[in-house]
Amino acid sequence: EGYIMTESKAKEVLETLKDSPVLYLDIETYSEELPKDRKDEPALDPFRNQVRLISLGDGKHFYTFDVKRLSSEVLNSILKLVSEKLIVGHNLKFDLKTLAYQYGTWILPKKTFDTYIAERLIWNAKYPQRPPKGALSLSALAEKYVGIKLDKSEQVSDWSGELTDSQITYALADVKVLPEIAKSK
């Protein structure tokens, strides 16, 4: 488990994940582009950001691949695996749009399950009003369904340079809660 930044370790881990019918996905992005104004967040714009980490898990093992340190051959192997599996994530619209824009639509999986959309449907069935801001966030669902309080402070950190242990822990935590949240749906 953990942070993957070498070719040999990446290939070994991909062998571990290849037989799983389901993979849990989350990505971390950055942008070297300066914001145009206070509300502009280029790192959250699938057409302007860069992928730094692709986090994947099979429900038992979880890894985060450092895209900046891996060859295009290994990256293509990661993306091919994503394209072949049932992918579970939270707000997959962002992750998949970013990946498809940067690497091509061939990577889009045939089957997905989005915990954000599932929770949105559950909310809409129960309540007539829009959910409060943040009520459908990954951290809100982790607390509600798994009893885990996710530390989201690294979300706005600089993902372009050397990564800290805290950033890696953050990236792995986001993907590790997905199996339990998905089970609750």
Side-chain angles (χ1 to χ4, degrees), residues 123-131:
W123 178 277
N124 289 346
K126 287 182 177 179
Y127 308 106
Q129 74 275 14
R130 294 179 61 130

Side-chain angles (χ1 to χ4, degrees), residues 12 19 22 35 57 59 68 99 112 147:
E12 178 187 320
D19 293 328
V22 177
K68 270 187 146 181
L99 292 171
T112 60

Side-chain angles (χ1 to χ4, degrees), residues 1-5 28 52-53 55 63-66 69 154 157 159 162-176:
E1 286 197 336
Y3 178 52
I4 310 300
M5 59 183 201
E28 302 305 331
R52 178 57 191 268
L53 297 176
S55 299
Y63 308 94
T64 189
F65 298 88
D66 193 334
R69 296 181 180 253
E154 291 294 346
S157 64
W159 293 90
E162 284 299 313
L163 299 178
T164 65
D165 289 344
S166 182
Q167 286 173 306
I168 293 161
T169 299
Y170 166 84
L172 286 166
D174 276 5
V175 78
K176 282 181 177 180

